[in-house]
């Protein structure tokens, strides 16, 4: 049975309207917000036949919670099963290039996960993989920060991350972990063929078992005074370098 939940914020609600309006039960909006952005959303919802309700802002505040910046719009949605249930569904699908994964080892901050999903979408990642335990899932804050990427990038939560990494290796995927202490750096590492980039949690980095399961560890070259980067920033840097290399390999020689 599908579970009803809420999405809040313009990016998340607009993305759901454009991609899967049938999953929206209703949209609640701040009755006092009548700017151009709200009018665009109302027009899109009306065209999709989605029920709209104008309510007091205090009601939206209560639904979104203390940390929910709803921007005057909340959608009640019913999730439908995602098209990919595990890594084998991805590996066996009709990909246009070798598999490209982002693996997050225990990210607990929903803002970081949302940002990671957003950059994963931008860099053409085929799926984001994370453990079910001691990690944040796809909650409303994650979806809002992801700006629609939570609806476009498959997010696969696994029971045993080390076992999943071994399954990927058996399928021919090269596992590359990011670690500050690694001898090899990002720019001298090859990202051709099937690749999974693995990044650790905020502050602690990769767990020992995860690091030992990787085929290689790489560090991000640092040229300033700070010693570490936020996991979402680090994932953006690593995924961009991997995508840059993969695109160069795809360009036919003249």
């Amino acid at each position: 049975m599908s579970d009803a939940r809420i999405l809040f914020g313009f990016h998340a609600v607009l993305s759901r309207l454009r991609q899967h309006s049938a999953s929206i039960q209703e949209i609640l909006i701040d009755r006092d917000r009548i700017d151009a952005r709200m009018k665009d959303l109302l027009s899109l919802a009306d065209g999709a036949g989605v029920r709209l309700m104008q309510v007091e802002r205090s009601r939206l505040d209560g639904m979104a919670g203390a940390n929910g910046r709803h921007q005057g719009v909340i959608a009640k949605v019913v999730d439908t099963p995602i098209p990919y249930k595990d890594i084998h569904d991805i590996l066996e699908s009709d990909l246009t290039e070798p598999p490209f994964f982002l693996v997050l080892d225990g990210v607990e901050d929903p803002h970081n996960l949302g940002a990671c999903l957003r950059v994963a979408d931008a860099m053409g990642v085929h799926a984001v993989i994370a453990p079910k335990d001691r990690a944040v899932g796809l909650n409303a804050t994650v979806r809002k920060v992801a700006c629609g990427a939570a609806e476009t990038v498959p997010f696969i939560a696994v029971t045993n991350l080390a076992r999943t990494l071994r399954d990927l290796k058996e399928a021919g995927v090269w596992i590359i972990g990011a670690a500050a202490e690694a001898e090899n750096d990002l720019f001298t590492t090859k990202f051709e063929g099937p690749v999974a980039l693995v990044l650790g949690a905020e502050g602690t980095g990769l767990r020992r078992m995860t690091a030992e399961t990787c085929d290689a560890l790489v560090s991000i070259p640092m040229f300033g005074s700070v010693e570490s980067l936020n996991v979402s920033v680090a994932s953006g840097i690593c995924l961009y370098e991997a995508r840059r290399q993969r695109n160069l390999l795809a360009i036919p020689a003249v």
Side-chain angles (χ1 to χ4, degrees), residues 38-68:
M38 183 64 80
K39 289 179 180 178
D40 288 342
L41 183 143
L42 295 179
S43 177
L44 188 62
D46 183 62
V50 175
R51 180 187 178 201
L52 288 163
M53 289 185 62
Q54 293 185 328
V55 301
E56 297 293 336
R57 187 175 184 87
S58 59
R59 181 175 176 184
L60 300 178
D61 292 340
M63 292 177 66
N67 298 318

Side-chain angles (χ1 to χ4, degrees), residues 95-140:
L95 302 177
T96 59
E97 65 170 350
F100 185 27
F101 297 106
L102 172 63
V103 181
L104 300 173
D105 184 18
V107 172
E108 297 180 339
D109 186 324
H111 292 87
N112 278 338
L113 177 56
C116 286
L117 285 166
R118 191 172 182 181
V119 75
D121 175 85
M123 293 299 106
V125 169
H126 297 125
V128 173
I129 302 167
K132 289 181 179 178
D133 297 328
R134 293 184 293 277
V136 66
L138 291 183
N139 60 31

Side-chain angles (χ1 to χ4, degrees), residues 225-239:
S225 57
V226 299
E227 296 181 357
S228 63
L229 296 170
N230 174 286
V231 64
S232 61
V233 173
S235 68
I237 293 171
C238 292
L239 290 176

Side-chain angles (χ1 to χ4, degrees), residues 166-252:
R166 289 193 291 270
D167 289 343
L168 286 171
K169 291 170 76 168
E170 290 178 4
V173 178
W174 189 249
I175 312 296
I176 302 175
E181 68 276 9
E183 295 182 3
N184 296 320
D185 69 55
L186 181 69
F187 301 141
T188 58
T189 302
K190 301 297 183 184
F191 291 94
E192 57 193 38
V195 167
L197 266 165
V198 189
L199 284 92
E202 306 89 352
T204 58
L206 297 177
R207 288 178 294 175
R208 180 184 60 81
M209 182 68 73
T210 304
E212 291 176 354
T213 308
C214 292
D215 293 303
L217 295 176
V218 301
S219 60
I220 298 175
M222 306 284 280
F223 304 100
S225 57
V226 299
E227 296 181 357
S228 63
L229 296 170
N230 174 286
V231 64
S232 61
V233 173
S235 68
I237 293 171
C238 292
L239 290 176
Y240 190 89
E241 173 60 17
R243 172 52 62 192
R244 184 190 68 83
Q245 290 190 26
R246 292 163 75 87
N247 277 15
L248 287 176
L249 290 169
I251 298 174

